[in-house]
Amino acid sequence: MTIQLIVTHAGGAHKDDFLACSLLASLHGVPIQRRDPTEEDLANPAVCVVDVGGVHDRERKNFDHHQFPRDAPPLCALSLVLQDLGLYEDALSFCAWLRPAEWLDTLGPNETAKLMEIPRATLGSLNSPLDMTLLNRFASHTELHPESPVYQVMCMVGEDIVNYLRSLRERLDYLKEHAQYWMIETEGEPIQAMFLEQSDALSEDPSFGVHAFIESEGKENEIQATVYPDRRGDGYGLSRYNDCQRLDFSQIESHEDVRFAHKRGFVAKVSTKDPTRLKELLELAVVRVVG
């Protein structure tokens, strides 16, 4: 059934209801009303009821969490909408902001600060004027239509989240099939690099999803470097993974096929496309231990 309306609560707005409505607005382009839902709203699958109503029913598009037991997993309205879209697991794995947003909405600031292992005062300092302005502007309306500037910004936010997660899943599936792992012998312990061969599939943003893929494969403690097509030239980028200090690419800046090496050593751009030469440059970038 085609969605005709989004209903969420009036009063103060929070990140979870704002983002949940942003996702739905970007996908359906229908008005948002900020009020208590009626029984007819809750029974109508053409009306998305978000963060209010005391019901979670995916078939009827009801996305409230406040009726969940005290010891239930910390799912908020945003979580429920992401689940309905089939994006929740990827969002939880690859959007570092989601879990704190769930904690904050379901557990409160004190418990959230403990789980994040930061002082309670630090949590407040993470808020930006963007957060405050968007939430306040959203809260000031009783109804929002697609021509509203606030609605249009919400659609941008929702569209970016959906596009990021869907394109990331496509990229992860691609990397699963095409990523290669190189073991580079050194004078000491070998280093391991992940290599991506040039292809049309990677041309727009070659490094997109690389870190997420390595983590998803459980190799974050095994990989020290990544080698990927250079989006600005006909060669490759060499980069430290997780800023591994065993590599310093400034050590190879004098080589003819090195177009650029950052003075701080974390990245280099090279013109060669020969795998053998790329492995040589990685080996030359390894920091030698003296003494």
Side-chain angles (χ1 to χ4, degrees), residues 116-138:
M116 294 180 70
E117 299 181 342
I118 60 174
R120 169 65 179 83
T122 302
L123 188 65
S125 69
L126 297 176
N127 288 326
S128 77
L130 290 174
D131 296 313
M132 293 182 286
T133 295
L134 289 174
L135 294 180
N136 288 338
R137 297 285 178 157
F138 180 56

Side-chain angles (χ1 to χ4, degrees), residues 141-214:
H141 291 78
T142 56
E143 187 162 352
L144 284 155
H145 293 272
E147 60 270 18
S148 161
V150 175
Y151 189 102
Q152 291 169 10
V153 170
M154 293 177 71
C155 285
M156 294 177 194
V157 173
E159 182 180 352
D160 282 356
I161 293 172
V162 171
N163 287 347
Y164 168 74
L165 290 171
R166 287 181 174 166
S167 59
L168 178 61
R169 173 45 55 195
E170 291 176 2
R171 178 58 61 89
L172 295 178
D173 292 342
Y174 176 89
L175 295 178
K176 181 79 171 178
E177 185 175 351
H178 293 91
Q180 301 177 34
Y181 298 101
W182 290 350
M183 191 66 70
I184 309 299
E185 296 299 330
T186 71
E187 293 178 359
E189 185 179 351
I191 65 166
Q192 189 171 175
M194 194 189 85
F195 170 73
L196 295 177
E197 191 172 6
Q198 290 179 332
S199 74
D200 291 341
L202 300 177
S203 59
E204 289 189 9
D205 192 354
S207 61
F208 173 61
V210 167
H211 282 247
F213 173 72
I214 291 172

Side-chain angles (χ1 to χ4, degrees), residues 70-92:
R70 184 183 181 91
D71 59 351
L75 298 174
C76 62
L78 173 60
S79 317
L80 304 182
V81 171
L82 285 167
Q83 286 179 348
D84 188 55
L85 299 176
L87 297 173
Y88 179 70
E89 293 303 326
D90 281 346
L92 198 61

Side-chain angles (χ1 to χ4, degrees), residues 39 70 77 102 139 174 176 196 212 214 241 266-267 273 275:
E39 290 300 323
R70 184 183 181 91
E102 292 177 324
Y174 176 89
K176 181 79 171 178
L196 295 177
I214 291 172
Y241 177 71
F266 59 86
V267 67
K273 294 187 284 186

